[in-house]
Amino acid sequence: MALFMDVHNHVEGLTAEAVQGAHQRDLEVQARYGVDYKQYWFDEASGKVFCLVEAPDADAAAAVHREAHGLVADDITPVNQGS
């Protein structure tokens, strides 16, 4: 499994409650794709969201978002975890 950071550049009408609900739906779907959405960060003012995810590949990570809530990331980048 690889680690990825996905970025949503502008989610219209983003609120803390909305992003928490979307993350919860990711958690409900992720096992079907062998994915583990670990953490998310967001900026309500800009609508930007970052999600840290462990997945077999970027397509599997995107599939979870697509099924869970339809908000597919604009970019999905492989990352290495630092110490």
Side-chain angles (χ1 to χ4, degrees):
M1 293 258 279
L3 201 57
F4 298 90
M5 181 68 71
D6 80 21
V7 180
H8 306 260
N9 289 320
H10 182 74
V11 177
E12 191 70 37
L14 181 71
T15 64
E17 294 79 21
V19 74
Q20 194 280 331
H23 180 69
Q24 184 58 45
R25 289 189 295 279
D26 288 333
L27 298 180
E28 294 166 3
V29 170
Q30 67 185 7
R32 286 181 244 184
Y33 296 91
V35 169
D36 181 14
Y37 269 91
K38 299 192 165 291
Q39 181 74 36
Y40 66 89
W41 299 265
F42 66 97
D43 176 48
E44 202 168 313
S46 68
K48 201 161 200 172
V49 180
F50 303 86
C51 304
L52 182 65
V53 56
E54 192 172 23
D57 54 44
D59 290 338
V64 172
H65 276 346
R66 189 176 298 108
E67 181 178 333
H69 44 69
L71 298 171
V72 179
D74 296 301
D75 297 298
I76 302 177
T77 303
V79 295
N80 294 314
Q81 188 169 3
S83 55

